[in-house]
Amino acid sequence: MITFTYRIETSGNIEALAAKIASDQSTGTFVALPGETEELKARVAARVLAIRHLPDAQQPSIPEAGGPFKRADVDIAFPFDAIGTDLSALMTIAIGGTYSIKGLSGIRIVDMQLPDDYRGAHPGPQFGVAGSRKLTGIVGRPIIGTIVKPALGLRPHETAEMVGELIEAGVDFIKDDEKLMSPAYSPLAERVKAIMPLILDHEQKTGRKVMYAFGISHADPDEMMRNHDLVAKAGGNCAVININSIGFGGMAYLRKRSSLVLHAHRNGWDILTRHPGLGMDFKVWQQFWRLLGVDQFQINGIASKYWEPDASFIESFKAVTTPIFSPDDCSLPVAGSGQWGGQAPETYERTGRTVDLLYLCGGGIVSHPDGPGAGVRAVQQAWQAAVEGVPLANFALKHRELARSIEKFGDGKAA
Amino acid sequence: MITFTYRIETSGNIEALAAKIASDQSTGTFVALPGETEELKARVAARVLAIRHLPDAQQPSIPEAGGPFKRADVDIAFPFDAIGTDLSALMTIAIGGTYSIKGLSGIRIVDMQLPDDYRGAHPGPQFGVAGSRKLTGIVGRPIIGTIVKPALGLRPHETAEMVGELIEAGVDFIKDDEKLMSPAYSPLAERVKAIMPLILDHEQKTGRKVMYAFGISHADPDEMMRNHDLVAKAGGNCAVININSIGFGGMAYLRKRSSLVLHAHRNGWDILTRHPGLGMDFKVWQQFWRLLGVDQFQINGIASKYWEPDASFIESFKAVTTPIFSPDDCSLPVAGSGQWGGQAPETYERTGRTVDLLYLCGGGIVSHPDGPGAGVRAVQQAWQAAVEGVPLANFALKHRELARSIEKFGDGKAA
């Protein structure tokens, strides 16, 4: 049995709407048909398991006259055999007719429970938390990463120059901005050729290999695989993929053939979650992508520069680190957006005191007043303070880089 | 130059928000960086071309205190070289950071203008309008189709029994419900084996080949191709694909290898369009899918059973039939959902008096009081009346099937 929980809102009848969703998404049609026997219904019909009423909405989520706008969380169960394990069938049942039903002013999928039939049916992450740690060699603290900025416009030699500086700075992970894929002024092949020798030289000298995530996304899976191969053959070990732009097909195709850590950017996901009465909780959506094989999942961070409230980030962190069937299907959470060391204590405290994350600072590292090297050390110091439970201001008394970082970013400028 | 038009809503400053979108989606970052030279900006920076102010929103699209909520349509132009022709790059720029920006209470992409650099860069529909006509042999009137119902639950031999009846009824096109893909009780291979001999026998006898659209969607493109091949090898010529569930990657992969007419179901698209202040107009979204190769595009219909208002359907019809670069990149519009002959006159009048469409009736055909054969003839009669400009009630005086259909569905029961 596969169970979806829909948060529904209607000026009509909650029970009738719940029944309609169950019917429309399984046997339903708009006129009674001779073929619709009881046996058939038993085979595939969805059932409303539970209805939990909620307070009325003050305003309808989708503009509509009238009211009151009643709300409820409704659990609807689908027989496993009606869907199977294909994730495109699962998504079709989840959202297909549901979002189009008349007579609702809001609908949001807030939970999905997959049955044990799904165990082992999908590849899941190839590297995940353990693989990311092994490849970077970082233990006992977050993997600390940064992003090449500006987002767009640098030519390969200019990017490589910045990358060289970031490698020297001691960062563990570097990524292309997700908007950078393979434009004319910076074709991926040229970028790989300019950057990988720096990574490999540094590895030769120090034994530490910086993980660089190249933007390999392409709408055409064949092209994306060519991009993947360029990176892999040059000795790279990671790729940024824009999951919303490549879709399930791109992701499934890539995962089966990939030798790279797949770092997912959620580009555009917000439209599914930002309006609390509409769309789909990240908690539900991320299950699909983890089953498909996301190793590292970007989920914003505390005091991000985007709309997402801290509580939502914390929920997302919990979601990607909660096993669906086993700890191996968890992705490494990637906290990013407006991050510098300042958010380390709160991030640590509110995520269950774990250091299993990739902590991604853009300007928070490269715009440190004493340069990126000091930026990296300041973030490491902030995390050490967080783990030791020492307030940052105290820790900064004996750690100059952190102190300088607080001077620059402490008033919220990094956000 | 690639131009997006965003409808933005904010309690802050419209001009500042427009500038922020342009900056965030190109060079922007949250602190000034040394690498950000003027030359680089000229290469990739987006520019706000125009701002057209609109009346304030009565309520914020996304719940928020304060106000007033100012609105405007904002044209933002991106240099072509910053993006290129890859559709996943294009989508990433369109929605990536845009939907996540702080300080807006609504954002919707309402237009997209692609430059001539896109001409010929994508396969587009392989069959489209002309191919659909050629394969069905129908000229001078809409292709008339129906859907096997119930949506889920029939086993292959039960489906075949219904299909046999529908073929005898004289229908031009039949499709699997989009929720039916390859569940345990009706594996695609079995369904194909049960149905295709009926189609081919009928073709042998009459010279007319009914187009049957099998549900071949699968999250894994390799599996989807196996499904495609099953259908093609058995002599089938069409497939239903759930474009939102397979994503760009699945679609691009399939199109390059497909010999079938690709009939797109928009499953879940509604969440992008239903709230007028959020998401993306269908007009914009469908451009991506047509460039990727959708031959037939489901777009609801007049008085559909779903939420979509008639005016929105008319806009969608116009969208898929308006060339992006050439008439060959148009999809055949598929009017469906609660259709019977009754909507023919209004559909005809409001879509520019064309008969180039697939007119899809489920219960509107199979629940005709005198059976599916009468159902098909009633729909053909309704279209003949529409084209001749004769009111249905008059036409029904000499056309019994139409008369009976009006008796049954005329009071809105089919909707």
Side-chain angles (χ1 to χ4, degrees), chain A residues 30-31 43 61 86 88 92 99-101 153 181 219-220 222 245-246 249 256-257 270 274-275 307 367 414, chain B residues 30-31 33 43 61 86 88 92 99-101 153 181 219-220 222 245-246 249 256-257 270 274-275 307 367 414:
Chain A
F30 59 102
V31 276
R43 192 151 62 230
S61 294
D86 171 30
S88 76
T92 298
Y99 290 160
S100 50
I101 289 175
M181 288 149 76
D220 180 342
D222 298 315
S245 297
I246 64 170
K256 277 169 80 171
R257 292 156 177 84
D270 311 71
R274 193 165 176 170
H275 192 303
W307 70 275
S367 301
Chain B
F30 60 103
V31 277
L33 288 169
R43 192 153 59 229
S61 294
D86 171 31
S88 75
T92 299
Y99 289 161
S100 50
I101 290 175
M181 288 147 77
D220 180 341
D222 298 315
S245 295
I246 64 170
K256 277 168 79 171
R257 292 157 177 85
D270 311 72
R274 193 163 174 172
H275 192 304
W307 70 275
S367 301

Side-chain angles (χ1 to χ4, degrees), chain A residues 14 29 53 102 105 118 169 172 192 202 228 275 297 299 325 344 350 362 383:
Chain A
I14 287 280
T29 180
H53 291 272
K102 236 180 206 166
S105 57
Y118 272 71
D172 310 316
V192 169
H202 185 256
H228 166 280
H275 192 303
F297 222 132
I299 50 170
F325 297 109
R350 294 182 69 181
W383 271 96

Side-chain angles (χ1 to χ4, degrees), chain A residues 254-327:
Chain A
L254 176 62
R255 171 63 181 86
K256 277 169 80 171
R257 292 156 177 84
S258 171
S259 60
L260 305 177
V261 173
L262 301 178
H263 178 107
H265 191 280
R266 301 183 292 186
N267 63 306
W269 142 85
D270 311 71
I271 210 68
L272 281 178
T273 304
R274 193 165 176 170
H275 192 303
L278 303 174
M280 189 183 289
D281 268 4
F282 178 70
K283 179 184 170 183
V284 176
W285 190 74
Q286 55 94 33
Q287 290 188 50
F288 289 89
W289 295 104
R290 277 166 56 196
L291 293 175
L292 284 164
V294 164
D295 291 300
Q296 305 181 339
F297 222 132
Q298 282 211 24
I299 50 170
N300 287 333
I302 295 289
S304 96
K305 60 179 169 163
Y306 297 124
W307 70 275
E308 195 178 19
D310 293 348
S312 173
F313 157 67
I314 298 295
E315 283 300 311
S316 300
F317 195 105
K318 195 178 149 196
V320 300
T321 56
T322 299
I324 305 172
F325 297 109
S326 114

Side-chain angles (χ1 to χ4, degrees), chain A residues 148 159 163 174-176 195 199 210-214 237-239:
Chain A
V148 179
T159 306
V163 169
I174 308 172
K175 71 181 274 290
D176 285 338
I195 290 169
I199 306 269
V210 174
M211 185 176 276
Y212 193 101
F214 288 95
N237 58 14
C238 190

Side-chain angles (χ1 to χ4, degrees), chain A residues 61-63, chain B residues 7 61 71 107-108 110 273-279 281:
Chain A
S61 294
I62 297 168
Chain B
R7 182 158 297 165
S61 294
R71 295 191 310 137
I107 184 158
R108 183 177 176 95
V110 295
T273 305
R274 193 163 174 172
H275 192 304
L278 303 174
D281 269 4

Side-chain angles (χ1 to χ4, degrees), chain B residues 60-104:
Chain B
S61 294
I62 297 169
E64 179 189 312
F69 300 96
K70 286 156 277 180
R71 295 191 310 137
D73 282 350
V74 176
D75 300 333
I76 299 182
F78 295 83
F80 169 73
D81 278 346
I83 302 180
T85 57
D86 171 31
L87 295 172
S88 75
L90 184 68
M91 185 57 99
T92 299
I93 294 290
I95 66 174
T98 332
Y99 289 161
S100 50
I101 290 175
K102 237 179 205 166
L104 56 80

